[in-house]
Amino acid sequence: MGHKLKQHDGFTLIEAVVTVVIMSLLMTLAMPAIKQSYTQFQMDTAIIQLHKDIRWAQKLADREQSKISIVFLQGNQPYRYIIQYASGEGYIKTVELPDNLTGIQATAIFINPDKTFMKNGHVLIRKGEIRRYVYYYQTGRSRVTSIPD
């Protein structure tokens, strides 16, 4: 004689509650890492955009045979930078940096018509412990780098 097995059509309330509690704990543990990754993504995107804009401004200076400046506005959040003709004829482009940066270290960048920079320098954007840099050199070269977190 065989045994009849009971058939269950779903989960018990206890199984469902235990599953929800475990998922909640896992999400709570994962949230700081997700937030850190998102902040790093924002910073990487911002510094790459700045680097692209510097390269674009170099091409514009060459094409227009005019000096171009990139001026950083650091008074209020969100910080932003403006690309303009160095003569002050007007803005070419304005870009906002990510919200709630904890610091920006930059001076105006001046680009000559031959794509070179008037002087060496760097731009630092910082959010908490995350720091990203663009370095630029009188020769016209520039590069992006970060400090290990």
Side-chain angles (χ1 to χ4, degrees):
M1 202 175 226
H3 291 80
K4 262 191 162 173
L5 295 176
K6 290 184 187 178
Q7 288 190 346
H8 295 286
D9 289 327
F11 299 104
T12 65
L13 180 60
I14 293 174
E15 291 171 328
V17 168
V18 168
T19 302
V20 169
V21 168
I22 290 171
M23 294 301 290
S24 298
L25 287 172
L26 289 174
M27 287 301 293
T28 302
L29 294 173
M31 285 308 287
I34 291 170
K35 186 176 179 183
Q36 179 80 0
S37 294
Y38 179 70
T39 301
Q40 287 178 352
F41 172 77
Q42 276 186 311
M43 297 294 285
D44 289 341
T45 301
I47 207 72
I48 288 168
Q49 181 62 49
L50 173 59
H51 187 245
K52 285 180 181 180
D53 285 341
I54 290 171
R55 304 296 291 175
W56 176 78
Q58 286 178 292
K59 291 176 186 173
L60 181 65
D62 180 47
R63 185 177 70 229
E64 300 286 327
Q65 284 299 293
S66 179
K67 284 187 179 181
I68 302 291
S69 64
I70 302 174
V71 179
F72 295 87
L73 305 175
Q74 304 173 44
N76 298 318
Q77 289 277 357
Y79 298 126
R80 53 180 130 281
Y81 58 90
I82 298 169
I83 301 173
Q84 62 187 11
Y85 291 101
S87 62
E89 294 174 19
Y91 303 138
I92 300 169
K93 183 177 185 180
T94 302
V95 178
E96 283 189 4
L97 293 168
D99 288 336
N100 302 319
L101 292 177
T102 54
I104 180 172
Q105 181 182 15
T107 58
I109 301 171
F110 294 97
I111 303 167
N112 297 314
D114 63 356
K115 297 183 181 181
T116 61
F117 298 102
M118 289 186 72
K119 63 180 182 174
N120 294 339
H122 72 273
V123 177
L124 161 67
I125 59 173
R126 187 174 62 245
K127 189 168 188 174
E129 296 299 315
I130 301 171
R131 295 178 283 176
R132 301 292 185 258
Y133 290 87
V134 171
Y135 291 94
Y136 53 92
Y137 306 98
Q138 284 180 301
T139 60
R141 294 180 154 270
S142 59
R143 65 183 174 96
V144 174
T145 189
S146 64
I147 299 299
D149 304 321

